[in-house]
Amino acid sequence: MGDALNLFLPLDSVAVALGADDVASALRDEAAKRKLDVTITRTGSRGMHWLEPLLEVESDGVRFGYGPVDIGDVGALLDAVAANVRHPKALGSVQDIPFFKHQTRIIFERCGIIDPVSTDQYLSHGGGAGLDKALRMSGAEICEEVLASGVRGRGGAGFPAGIKWKTVAETRADQKYIVANADEGDSGTFADRMIMEGDPFLLIEGMTIAGVAVGATKGYIYLRSEYPVAARILAQAIDRAYSAGLIGENIRGSGERFDIELFVGAGAYICGEETSLLESLEGKRGEVRAKPPLPAVEGLFGKPTLVHNVITLCSIPHILAEGAASYRDLGVGKSTGTMPFQIAGNVKHGGLYETAFGLPLRALVEEIGGGARTGRPVRAVQIGGPLGAYLPPSLFHLQMDYETMLANGAGVGHGGIVVFDEDVDLLEQARYAFEFCAEESCGKCTPCRVGSVRGVEVMDRIRDDIDREQNLTVLDDLCELMVDGSLCAMGGMTPIPVKSALKHFPEDFAINRGKSDAE
Amino acid sequence: MPPGDQEIRSIIEPYLNKTGGLITALRAVQEAIGHLPEETDAIAADIFNLSRAEVMGVISFYADFHRAPKGRTVIRLCAAEACQAAGGRGLQEQVEGRLALKMGETAPSGNITLETVYCLGLCSAAPAAMVGERLLARADVERVADALNDADGNAARG
């Protein structure tokens, strides 16, 4: 018998939720029956979620895909591989699948390829190069490189990261902190989860570079509790990073120190807001703080704290390794680098697509996403989570970058695109925006806490044709008040989905609405 | 047998000097006991040198914490936008009908709790659900029912 057959199967939550663990046991059983020697490496996901569980079989250094694999397929599939004949689920070389091939993967370059908790594989696949370079630079030089790259916060606000770094670096304090915001609560987004499950050392490396740059010796990953798989993998990765000297008291022999701790939240969307997150990390209710002071000056326990979204931190190692100029060459205008767009909802080819900024929305929804899974026409997309705008197909020509989206009343947010077919009722979606705000408001600001409840009532009256015109006026006032009178984006941006729905889909708010109400 | 104060105290104490220790300690109590009994407040307040009101404030703020025991298997259905777009509302109605339970309710038998979750990060393969520890993507009522049977079987064996 020849060498062991090298198989790769994701351990990513989506793959597991579609049966990957069952497929893994079936593979072991069926291989044993056939006396086939197999090695199964559990990897992250390639991001082609309609093909999950996606099994890969290595042959002459090329990984051939099969998917979506059902446990019933496993026996015949192994037979086909052994006999070198084509199986109906064969997809060819995985990296040549068009969805994968046309991406620019600088954040997700290893995701789906390596064992996520192997430091050896991480280092042998290009990991650690950014950190090694940073360790030879001064803190100020690293901050300058980040600033020059133009990378902006990927959590939603899009603030230039380098400015935050400089602020923290220049603020004097006996202790500073790095906090990775992994409270990825926006519906339609899963890039943080995927990278944490598929290449957690990248986040660890990004945080460590940040620590070295700004003079912080302690980092926290604030992870939402709805991500149990990510929690397990991160905990294991942190342990192994210590053992391998990637973090700890003498990082890669440099004499620099950086420690990382994982903190799991307790179910609160608002804790994705940075000041609320810091309160929560201090063990308190996650109530939003007034700014200023900025967390960069007075953050965790009153100390200067660099809070960044996971994807922002994961962009850093590449910037250091390849230089700011090569990063800035990707993207358009002030939207530099790549964004892992997440294509979700009612869509044929759902998944993660990392590309430089500048693709038109239509390409992501229709060409890459393949349109609605139901096969019906796409009627709307919501971009950037529950606080993002609803846009109609007439705006799908818009380019996906921070400035273009902003100019059209929308935002890139965390890069999530939720697709809806013609069945969607935008009044119902606008009502839900208020309902979600009422559920998740931290309660500190009255316009958010009470306004959201009033918003649901107003929507109900408009739907039921009660004093329609007056209620539309109330709705306008309410939105204005929430925007002007809320400390954070929860209250301040809930009007965005509401008003965009009203603006682009007025027929759903009109008398004799086109559809029958689902009551 | 109801948990004694000493048991709760011994669960909480190790978290005193941890960052955000109160939240992690409360989770540990809940994992051990199944819910957060009233006695927790005074004990945690004493250990962390807080008022009982502050502890209660934390417990009431976070969706994960609960005062009453939940069903043996908790079914969580995602109610957020990506799942709405892919039939999540219909799935919720079907599951409610099948189990004769409304969202947020626990079956009188104490076997099942049905609840809402806002995003499991499976939005590209919506609708999403979680039955006990098991994640489901492109969930339908049959797969939820099958996962529930498996969870019941495991609980019975366990």
Side-chain angles (χ1 to χ4, degrees), chain A residues 103-154:
Chain A
Q103 298 188 42
T104 304
R105 289 200 156 206
I106 64 174
I107 299 166
F108 283 80
E109 60 179 331
R110 281 174 297 269
C111 188
I113 295 171
I114 63 165
D115 171 354
V117 290
S118 160
T119 49
D120 286 348
Q121 290 189 24
Y122 181 71
L123 295 171
S124 66
H125 283 75
L131 176 61
D132 286 344
K133 199 147 173 204
L135 289 170
R136 296 193 296 269
M137 296 161 73
S138 72
E141 285 169 347
I142 303 171
C143 291
E144 205 50 58
E145 198 71 11
V146 172
L147 188 63
S149 75
V151 63
R152 297 164 68 169
R154 298 290 192 248

Side-chain angles (χ1 to χ4, degrees), chain A residues 14 17-18 22 49 187-188 190 193 220 224-225 227 263-267 280-281 283-286 343-346 351 373 382 386 418-420 429 432 436 440, chain B residues 19-20 22-24 27 57-58 60-65 79-82 84-86 89 117-126 130 134-138 143:
Chain A
V14 165
L18 292 168
D22 297 335
H49 293 157
S187 175
F190 42 83
R193 179 188 62 64
Y220 291 96
R224 64 200 297 261
S225 62
Y227 283 179
F263 182 89
V264 179
S280 182
L281 192 48
K284 303 174 193 159
R285 290 165 68 86
I343 308 170
N346 186 344
R373 195 200 297 167
Q382 187 183 24
V418 175
V419 180
F420 294 82
Q429 297 309 120
Y432 172 79
F436 184 68
E440 298 292 343
Chain B
T19 303
L22 176 60
I23 289 172
T24 316
R27 182 183 302 106
V58 169
S60 65
F61 188 85
Y62 294 98
D64 288 358
F65 296 139
E81 291 91 335
Q84 292 167 5
R89 290 190 178 102
V117 61
Y118 292 99
C119 199
L120 294 166
L122 309 175
C123 325
S124 49
M130 197 167 177
R134 181 160 194 163
L135 292 167
L136 296 177
R138 286 201 291 270
R143 292 188 60 216

Side-chain angles (χ1 to χ4, degrees), chain A residues 45-50 99-100 103 105 108 111 190-192 194-195 311 339-343 349-355 368, chain B residues 124:
Chain A
S45 168
R46 299 266 193 166
M48 296 179 281
H49 293 157
W50 75 99
F99 186 98
F100 195 79
Q103 298 188 42
R105 289 200 156 206
F108 283 80
C111 188
F190 42 83
D192 299 352
M194 275 184 64
I195 203 73
I311 295 299
M339 185 77 191
F341 289 104
Q342 300 128 80
I343 308 170
H349 295 160
L352 181 137
Y353 194 93
E354 184 180 350
T355 182
I368 296 161
Chain B
S124 49

Side-chain angles (χ1 to χ4, degrees), chain B residues 9-154:
Chain B
R9 183 170 283 278
S10 66
I11 295 170
I12 297 176
E13 266 170 349
Y15 296 98
L16 175 58
N17 294 313
K18 297 270 186 196
T19 303
L22 176 60
I23 289 172
T24 316
L26 291 171
R27 182 183 302 106
V29 173
Q30 189 165 282
E31 276 172 9
I33 296 171
H35 65 290
L36 291 172
E38 299 287 340
E39 306 86 276
T40 313
D41 304 21
I43 300 167
D46 180 45
I47 293 172
F48 283 91
N49 194 23
L50 296 168
S51 68
R52 276 181 59 196
E54 285 171 301
V55 176
M56 286 175 74
V58 169
I59 293 173
S60 65
F61 188 85
Y62 294 98
D64 288 358
F65 296 139
H66 48 97
R67 291 293 195 183
K70 284 192 185 178
R72 199 167 62 189
T73 303
V74 179
I75 301 178
R76 306 170 88 189
L77 302 178
C78 179
E81 291 91 335
C83 289
Q84 292 167 5
R89 290 190 178 102
L91 173 65
Q92 182 178 315
E93 282 170 22
Q94 288 175 328
V95 173
E96 284 180 330
R98 178 76 69 99
L99 299 175
L101 276 182
K102 290 283 174 202
M103 299 304 289
E105 288 182 350
T106 296
S109 64
N111 282 345
I112 307 164
T113 296
L114 187 57
E115 60 183 35
T116 296
V117 61
Y118 292 99
C119 199
L120 294 166
L122 309 175
C123 325
S124 49
M130 197 167 177
V131 179
E133 303 283 298
R134 181 160 194 163
L135 292 167
L136 296 177
R138 286 201 291 270
D140 58 34
V141 68
E142 297 305 330
R143 292 188 60 216
V144 170
D146 288 349
L148 180 62
N149 280 336
D150 291 349
D152 271 353
N154 290 341

